[in-house]
Amino acid sequence: MARLPVIPKEQIAEEHQDIYDEISATLGRLPAVMEMLMYRPVVAGMTERLGRQLRFDTEALPRSTIELVTLTVAREWDCLREWSVHVGQARRAGVSDETIEAVRQRRAPEGLSKDEALLVTYTQEIMRMHRVSDETFQAVLEQVGNVGIVVLTALAGYYTMIATTLNAFEVQPSPPTEEMTQLPL
């Protein structure tokens, strides 16, 4: 159970009902992070639109890259909910079990393909050092291009916000998955 109760739709101000409806219609439900952000519906709406743009309305990065970066951020923040939501999506996008396990065990970038290792390193440098080395930046720029590196960086920032929100409000995986019971913190 999260630290804050979920606000029922009926208790959301009438002028913000459209935000609730837009989010739940787009995704078929109100995700747990949006349930917390609905305390500030305008923020929830903007967050959902940003996430949709970064994840689905861009051709700058392949789906597998998006999911690998998302898992890396989830692991860096030890965000159980984010990890549990995205591990299956990463597999469906083509991220190998070996790559997922390397990220989960904090062995990555060791053991990854050159391209995967570079993406994980870029994301880890942002999370750990709050900067990216010139060498890593140039290598990723060559790999994904100008638009790709902007989207990649924004994606890491977006999922950092999601992870910190989920962690602060102690939103847990539901239902718990095998991956979550094995995630070493």
Side-chain angles (χ1 to χ4, degrees):
M1 174 166 227
R3 286 181 161 166
L4 292 178
V6 174
I7 302 173
K9 181 181 178 187
E10 311 78 60
Q11 292 181 13
I12 295 171
E14 188 175 326
E15 66 268 18
H16 296 132
Q17 290 286 318
D18 60 328
I19 295 170
Y20 185 101
D21 292 341
E22 178 186 346
I23 295 170
S24 58
T26 301
L27 303 172
R29 61 180 168 68
L30 204 61
V33 69
M34 294 302 155
E35 290 175 340
M36 295 297 100
L37 293 177
M38 284 308 290
Y39 277 86
R40 200 68 180 137
V42 173
V43 172
M46 295 171 82
T47 301
E48 191 280 326
R49 285 188 293 283
L50 175 60
R52 188 172 358 118
Q53 174 64 38
L54 290 171
R55 294 181 62 217
F56 304 116
D57 296 341
T58 183
E59 296 176 3
L61 299 172
R63 185 101 223 119
S64 58
T65 296
I66 291 168
E67 292 303 331
L68 177 58
V69 169
T70 302
L71 286 183
T72 303
V73 172
R75 189 63 186 116
E76 289 298 308
W77 284 99
D78 293 327
C79 185
L80 301 178
R81 179 65 180 231
E82 192 168 71
W83 181 274
S84 71
V85 168
H86 286 277
V87 71
Q89 293 178 34
R91 284 188 180 112
R92 287 188 295 280
V95 179
S96 72
D97 285 338
E98 294 79 16
T99 296
I100 292 169
E101 186 62 15
V103 172
R104 186 180 78 79
Q105 289 290 333
R106 296 189 193 275
R107 290 190 319 261
E110 182 183 312
L112 304 184
S113 73
K114 181 181 175 187
D115 288 347
E116 288 175 330
L118 191 52
L119 296 166
V120 168
T121 298
Y122 185 88
T123 306
Q124 288 173 337
E125 286 184 14
I126 292 171
M127 301 290 111
R128 295 175 184 177
M129 300 182 325
H130 312 159
R131 305 235 179 325
V132 178
S133 68
D134 289 339
E135 178 184 346
T136 301
F137 186 89
Q138 285 304 317
V140 171
L141 183 61
E142 289 173 22
Q143 181 178 326
V144 300
N146 292 357
V147 174
I149 203 165
V150 169
V151 172
L152 177 69
T153 306
L155 191 69
Y158 171 78
Y159 275 108
T160 294
M161 183 189 79
I162 298 300
T164 58
T165 300
L166 292 168
N167 283 351
F169 296 108
E170 294 186 352
V171 178
Q172 297 299 309
S174 178
T177 63
E178 183 178 332
E179 285 90 358
M180 295 314 350
T181 60
Q182 296 176 4
L183 187 61
L185 295 178

